[in-house]
Amino acid sequence: METDESDRYRAPALDKGLDILELLAGVDSGLTQAEIAKRLDRSPNEFYRMLDRLVRRGYVTRLDGDRYSLTLKLFGLAQLHAPVRRLASYATPLMRDLAQRTRQANHLAVFDRGEAVVIAQQEAPDYWGFSIRIGAHISLFDTGSGHVLLAFRSGEEREMMISEHVRNRAETELGAEFYDRLDQIRERGYEMMASAQTSGVYNLSAPVLGPDQRCIAALTCPFIALVNAPSAPDITQTIMLVQKTAAQLSLLAGADVANPA
């Protein structure tokens, strides 16, 4: 009896798990165990243990008790490798130009497995400035980068990101004002806020959008008023330059955005 070469090294359990992930990736509102089994033409009992393991490993979450939906863990894992390196590579010359034009430092952050992580950073061109090191983990809740990463996502994705950011969602008090602020950021296209960590610093943040118009990264300038450089752009001019640079990066990422002036 001849053996199909493609079936020689089959791993049924792995295939079953991948079938579930691929199915859930194409569904917005999640599926019950019975619905998953029906769509994959299998018995519901076949998927109980696999779904339990996927939930425990953080790839799948339970919605309303009996529905299963993908988390952003796969998205986060994908960003760890080539896509992030390419994004940082494309961003470096644009960020260097932004630093020269604004006389300020800037950095690029992405969402990775529950954290906002700095993947690229450009120092201010003068002998001093405020900067954040590459690899630093920053909050989603009280930073410009975190606000932008949340603001330019769907409501469901936003809640997943928040849930992954905190161990116990009930311990985090995010009232209506916080969500209203995110909506305002999305409407005006950027965040401008006083730093919650350092006095005298303002976070100026704009989104880098992907082909699906969702935020894949946040470009942030920690703005400091330069009293010894009167010709340097002020805060309003600086946020415009940050937006322009983020739009240029979005075009490189394949987003359909207005041509930046």
Side-chain angles (χ1 to χ4, degrees), residues 191-228:
E191 171 65 302
M192 178 186 293
M193 60 176 285
S195 171
Q197 292 78 31
T198 307
S199 178
V201 176
Y202 282 82
N203 295 328
L204 311 182
S205 304
V208 177
L209 304 175
D212 56 5
Q213 300 301 305
R214 293 185 294 182
C215 182
I216 60 175
L219 178 64
T220 297
C221 170
F223 180 87
I224 303 173
L226 303 175
V227 297
N228 63 337

Side-chain angles (χ1 to χ4, degrees), residues 78-146:
Q79 290 200 35
L80 288 177
H81 301 293
V84 168
R85 290 197 297 271
R86 286 200 298 270
L87 179 59
S89 176
Y90 290 143
T92 297
L94 294 175
M95 293 172 66
R96 186 182 303 119
D97 181 67
L98 176 63
Q100 291 290 336
R101 289 173 176 270
T102 61
R103 319 304 296 175
Q104 307 276 347
N106 60 78
H107 58 268
L108 194 68
V110 300
F111 180 79
D112 173 32
R113 292 179 295 177
E115 301 286 349
V117 182
V118 176
I119 64 166
Q121 182 264 347
Q122 187 65 44
E123 299 281 357
D126 295 324
Y127 60 87
W128 71 276
F130 184 86
S131 60
I132 299 179
R133 63 176 174 81
I134 294 176
H137 289 206
I138 55 182
S139 173
L140 289 180
F141 303 147
D142 59 6
T143 66
S145 295

Side-chain angles (χ1 to χ4, degrees), residues 32-95:
T32 65
Q33 183 178 336
E35 289 171 334
I36 291 172
K38 182 177 181 180
R39 294 200 184 194
L40 296 178
D41 195 24
R42 307 285 281 273
S43 165
N45 292 334
E46 291 186 55
F47 294 103
Y48 177 78
R49 289 185 178 180
M50 183 60 68
L51 283 168
D52 180 70
R53 295 312 305 165
L54 290 172
V55 170
R56 290 179 182 274
R57 293 294 296 270
Y59 291 97
V60 171
T61 187
R62 298 186 70 164
L63 304 174
D64 301 325
D66 63 347
R67 303 187 73 79
Y68 295 88
S69 179
L70 284 187
T71 69
L72 294 178
K73 187 170 183 178
L74 283 174
F75 173 76
L77 290 175
Q79 290 200 35
L80 288 177
H81 301 293
V84 168
R85 290 197 297 271
R86 286 200 298 270
L87 179 59
S89 176
Y90 290 143
T92 297
L94 294 175
M95 293 172 66

